Amino acid sequence: GGTIVVVGAGQAGFQAAASLREAGFDGSLTIVGDEPVAPYQRPPLSKAYLAGKATAGTLALRPASFYADHRIALRLGTRAAALDRAGRQVALASGERLAYDHLILATGARNRPLPVPGADLAGVLQLRTLADADSIQARLAGVETVVVVGAGFIGLEFAAVAAARAIAVTVVEAAGSVMSRAVSQATSAFFRQAHEAAGIRFVLGASAERIAGADGRVTAVETTDGRSLPADLVLVGIGVVPNADLAAEAGLAVADGILVDHTLLTSDPAVSAIGDCAVFPSPFAGRAPTRIESVQNAVDQARCVAARLTGRAAPYAALPWFWSDQGRLKLQIAGLARPHDRAVTRGDPATGAFSVFCYRHGHLVGVESVNRPADHMIARRLIAERLPLAPEQAADPAFDLRALVR
Ligand code: FAD
């Protein structure tokens, strides 16, 4: 029994509600979401959906009937504006107040705005929501030249989709390599070359300094190294900011996200936080608390909290894994490879299929696989179960990895 309110109708919020019902929670259950649509998958927004190979209907995590069938009330298109922790109530922007016995914050993250003049010109866009994807899609038809600011996952996925539509694409990135915060040098270099071979141009080690426009519309991106890159459309993908304001204003502990303990409880035992907004201690991340932006993390943290709230408390210890599709290249990552002090490659990158095994102090901490899904599945087990694999064995194509997990 009891009443659970979930704030945030994204991947994590949806999964928390679904898992609570699956685990037998039979009290009142409400999800509050500020987007106007029922929970959907974000990953296809920068991949199949933007490429025109998926429809909004196929993105929905469940059909509308699911929520009715499972007595999950959806309050969509409305923000949770304030928390009254002493009175255990959430105040919605609409003025309505929802009482709770337990509150789950699954507020996700929002795009980091580009802090330069001209960033508000028409045609300068970001991608987080279905509405963002629709407005990009609507403009893409007439576009000939695109500049992508930021060579992270979303920037590169978008660049690949645009290049496949014969649009001239230039990617501007402040770091000296692509996906530098997330992957090994070998994987980064491979992706840069593959994108260049597909016609994408890179300007590395420079940032956007100003966006130029005419009649309120973007015309070019001016960079710190003195270039003016023509653009009909600019896609800004420079990372996200966790949505922690609601928690902070209610006096919960925050630091680049909502701080939670190893069971995903905030500093208030009646409030949990999960997904992109949560900063948690991970057994795979070394000592410092971490925040992970991935479907795996959102789903597994939701399941962990649902289990705790239905009497099966356990520390959160799921192995992080991630994927990114960039054109015909499927990147899969098991574990958290940054930082690492040794990396060995299995398979030949020249064939377009290989894995990079990353070690920290002699332990395997992350494996990046490109078009090698079998390596990825084995790597998940090797890292999660801390099975020994010497770098020399990982690099030896004759060494049978499958035998280790049989
Ligand atoms: P979100 O999905 O962001 O959901 C949070 C929801 O809460 C949002 O709807 C937000 O508007 C709402 N909200 C916030 N504050 C309030 C409030 N006060 N009141 C009401 N509602 C509120 N991950 C992968 O693993 N693989 C991928 O390939 C991949 N690709 C991606 C591509 C794109 C374009 C994007 C944007 C993300 C991608 N991700 C990918 C990341 C993944 O989608 C996120 O990690 C995941 O959605 C996080 O789920 P979440 O529920 O924590 O946050």
Side-chain angles (χ1 to χ4, degrees):
T3 297
I4 297 178
V5 173
V6 181
V7 177
Q11 187 85 50
F14 156 77
Q15 188 65 51
S19 294
L20 278 164
R21 284 298 187 231
E22 211 173 299
F25 174 72
D26 67 355
S28 154
L29 186 50
T30 301
I31 309 179
V32 180
D34 58 3
E35 291 183 66
V37 284
Y40 59 90
Q41 310 170 56
R42 291 185 203 286
L45 295 180
S46 49
K47 309 177 183 75
Y49 187 71
L50 212 53
K53 290 174 192 149
T55 61
T58 62
L59 299 189
L61 283 162
R62 289 291 185 281
S65 57
F66 173 85
Y67 301 95
D69 292 348
H70 291 81
R71 293 182 299 115
I72 299 170
L74 289 179
R75 287 289 217 298
L76 300 176
T78 184
R79 271 186 72 72
L83 305 182
D84 168 8
R85 292 200 288 124
R88 292 202 179 164
Q89 289 190 338
V90 185
L92 306 189
S94 62
E96 192 185 350
R97 298 178 81 85
L98 302 177
Y100 63 81
D101 297 308
H102 197 88
L103 179 70
I104 301 175
L105 296 174
T107 47
R110 60 182 179 275
N111 285 316
R112 183 182 299 283
L114 183 66
V116 306
D120 54 349
L121 288 163
V124 181
L125 302 169
Q126 294 194 301
L127 178 52
R128 177 82 193 173
T129 64
L130 184 56
D132 293 338
D134 286 337
S135 77
I136 292 171
Q137 184 73 273
R139 287 165 194 265
L140 220 44
V143 163
E144 288 175 6
T145 321
V146 161
V147 170
V148 175
V149 179
F153 293 117
I154 291 176
L156 293 183
E157 289 176 2
F158 173 81
V161 170
R165 294 172 63 144
I167 296 171
V169 182
T170 304
V171 180
V172 179
E173 164 60 51
S177 59
V178 307
M179 300 184 284
S180 60
R181 283 183 308 144
V183 302
S184 66
Q185 281 177 15
T187 299
S188 170
F190 172 83
F191 271 87
R192 177 188 169 182
Q193 280 170 19
H195 287 309
E196 281 174 341
I200 297 171
R201 218 179 116 208
F202 287 92
V203 175
L204 300 176
S207 358
E209 192 169 55
R210 195 178 87 91
I211 315 244
D215 305 324
R217 283 202 56 82
V218 61
T219 54
V221 173
E222 295 172 3
T223 61
T224 46
D225 63 349
R227 299 169 207 246
S228 176
L229 306 167
D232 308 324
L233 187 150
V234 175
L235 193 281
V236 177
I238 55 170
V240 299
V241 184
N243 290 321
D245 327 357
L246 186 66
E249 283 158 20
L252 293 170
V254 303
D256 184 41
I258 306 169
L259 292 175
V260 294
D261 68 9
H262 62 294
T263 68
L264 310 176
L265 265 182
T266 67
S267 47
D268 178 341
V271 185
S272 302
I274 56 175
D276 281 16
C277 69
V279 175
F280 64 99
S282 167
F284 300 99
R287 241 171 284 255
T290 188
R291 200 173 60 72
I292 296 182
E293 299 154 14
S294 76
V295 167
Q296 171 279 322
N297 185 66
V299 168
D300 287 337
Q301 291 198 335
R303 289 182 175 144
C304 176
V305 167
R308 162 160 49 77
L309 294 173
T310 51
R312 289 175 295 123
Y316 179 69
L319 176 81
W321 55 265
F322 184 80
W323 80 95
S324 171
D325 300 337
Q326 301 178 22
R328 268 172 306 173
L329 299 172
K330 187 173 188 72
L331 169 64
Q332 293 169 292
I333 304 176
L336 297 176
R338 308 302 317 248
H340 58 263
D341 45 47
R342 182 158 183 203
V344 297
T345 302
R346 182 176 181 88
D348 181 2
T351 64
F354 64 98
S355 293
V356 178
F357 288 68
C358 301
Y359 289 82
R360 181 161 66 227
H361 309 311
H363 297 285
L364 183 65
V365 289
V367 177
E368 302 157 354
S369 300
V370 178
N371 292 352
R372 289 204 26 151
D375 282 3
H376 174 70
M377 294 314 291
I378 294 168
R380 284 198 206 172
R381 289 204 39 202
L382 294 177
I383 300 169
E385 295 167 32
R386 294 171 174 79
L387 299 170
L389 171 68
E392 296 70 24
Q393 295 171 322
D396 176 4
F399 183 84
D400 184 10
L401 293 180
R402 268 167 310 179
L404 293 174
V405 296
R406 237 177 241 135

